[in-house]
Amino acid sequence: AVTTYNAGKLALFSAPRGQLQTRAWKFPRPMGLAARGNALAIAARQHIALFRSSPASESGAATTYALDQLFETGRLNAHDLAFAGDRLYFANTRYNCLARPSDRVRFLRSWQPPFISRMIGKDCCHLNGVGVQNRRPAMMTAFAEIDRPRGWRELDRFQSGVVIDVRRNAIVARGLNMPHSPRWHAGRWWICESGAGVVATLDPTSGTCDEVAALPGFTRGLCFVGAAALVGTSRIRPEHILDSPPLRGRSHSARAGVSLVDASTGSPRGALEFRQGGSEVFEVAFLPGVTDGDFAYRADQCRKAT
């Protein structure tokens, strides 16, 4: 499952008989995506949608996802979503905090970085990534350590990125190039150093990042399937705030799509490239056992709710 927010699509890719199959649904600016068991959550422009699936039948009928809950959030610019314990969390980028959806209010604040002094509806540090360990939110990524509205846009975003330990309430890594997607896998922390087009491992004790794989695109969206990593890549927009000269200098042909990487060696094992229908990937999720998935969903459900 892949979200591409500039095209407003959630796409499912499968190859049950060796032939690539694609299905896509329109969502208003879909970004974060979290899957666990039969639940799939999607963060969109003004809401977070929670779907539940019914398994594919022996007769060959498709797995169907039905809308279970729709949380109205307003324009929070929600980025990563993550299940932790029995709760769903998200990076509330506009309000610089880790939050939970609620059916009573726009969001419930769970935690905010130690350098953020007050609750304000202005994106100060561009908090974007949520990593879970031992069923608890553990790590978050941000573009800058700053407590000023839109302050991250004023700094050198190619070396101002940070990783924050939620449990210790402390920054554990600095000097990163637009980091995203902190993930715990195989006893290590992984991140996308997006502006460098890199997937790396992170040592929170020393604050060092070791490159595992360099890919042809802005790396964002990361999940693991056995010994393989699925990594989203995006084409970069010249003169845009997410433009990255370091990446352009290394790769003149950045691609949008999903790369399959051997997590132990960093070697590429395959890639899916989007030639049309989306140039920027935000998140990638693996849905085990789902073939020919379908959604009992219409875009107007979300428009009516918000």
Side-chain angles (χ1 to χ4, degrees):
V2 179
T3 52
T4 171
Y5 63 92
N6 69 318
K9 299 261 182 82
L10 166 72
L12 298 186
F13 299 94
S14 62
R17 290 168 291 279
Q19 298 294 319
L20 180 64
Q21 295 184 357
T22 304
R23 289 172 178 248
W25 291 263
K26 289 185 177 181
F27 279 80
R29 193 177 168 78
M31 295 182 74
L33 187 64
R36 186 179 67 179
N38 73 331
L40 181 67
I42 303 168
R45 178 177 282 117
Q46 296 191 61
H47 67 271
I48 292 174
L50 179 62
F51 292 87
R52 303 282 181 182
S53 70
S54 58
S57 68
E58 294 182 0
S59 64
T63 302
T64 299
Y65 285 88
L67 186 62
D68 185 61
Q69 285 181 282
L70 193 66
F71 300 100
E72 183 180 350
T73 62
R75 292 178 182 257
L76 300 182
N77 199 18
H79 279 57
D80 260 10
L81 285 175
F83 288 104
D86 59 354
R87 291 177 171 175
L88 177 64
Y89 293 86
F90 67 95
N92 185 339
T93 306
R94 179 178 176 184
Y95 281 87
N96 310 287
C97 68
L98 176 68
R100 292 188 287 118
S102 168
D103 56 7
R104 296 180 293 105
V105 293
R106 294 296 177 93
F107 65 91
L108 298 172
R109 181 178 61 170
S110 297
W111 172 89
Q112 68 183 31
F115 52 83
I116 297 295
S117 61
R118 59 196 172 114
M119 176 70 75
I120 182 174
K122 301 288 185 181
D123 180 1
C124 297
C125 61
H126 205 67
L127 194 71
N128 60 65
V130 182
V132 172
Q133 183 185 22
N134 296 329
R135 295 169 54 85
R136 294 178 55 195
M139 294 286 177
M140 295 197 73
T141 48
F143 278 12
E145 179 186 357
I146 192 166
D147 188 21
R148 186 167 62 250
R150 299 171 66 87
W152 67 273
R153 293 173 176 263
E154 303 168 8
L155 302 180
D156 181 356
R157 61 190 180 280
F158 309 127
Q159 54 184 8
S160 63
V162 295
V163 179
I164 315 157
D165 189 319
V166 173
R167 300 158 299 183
R168 292 169 47 200
N169 206 35
I171 294 174
V172 295
R174 290 181 169 89
L176 304 178
N177 188 338
M178 295 189 277
H180 285 87
S181 311
R183 304 289 183 260
W184 177 256
H185 172 71
R188 295 188 292 178
W189 280 105
W190 300 69
I191 65 167
C192 291
E193 199 167 358
S194 307
V198 162
V199 178
T201 56
L202 166 70
D203 182 347
T205 303
S206 64
T208 57
C209 289
D210 295 321
E211 179 181 313
V212 175
L215 299 171
F218 188 93
T219 49
R220 180 178 53 195
L222 174 64
C223 73
F224 292 88
V225 186
L230 288 167
V231 190
T233 60
S234 301
R235 291 196 287 273
I236 50 180
R237 291 174 279 177
E239 309 302 326
H240 186 267
I241 191 66
L242 296 186
D243 183 15
S244 179
L247 177 57
R248 277 196 281 112
R250 196 197 77 222
S251 175
H252 296 288
S253 57
R255 298 197 296 264
V258 180
S259 291
L260 183 67
V261 175
D262 187 313
S264 59
T265 66
S267 302
R269 293 175 55 184
L272 179 67
E273 183 180 357
F274 301 165
R275 296 295 180 87
Q276 60 183 14
S279 60
E280 297 182 17
V281 170
F282 185 82
E283 186 59 287
V284 180
F286 180 66
L287 308 179
V290 174
T291 58
D292 298 331
D294 204 352
F295 276 81
Y297 164 85
R298 301 186 314 275
D300 64 337
Q301 289 178 305
C302 296
R303 285 196 294 270
K304 290 177 181 177
T306 56

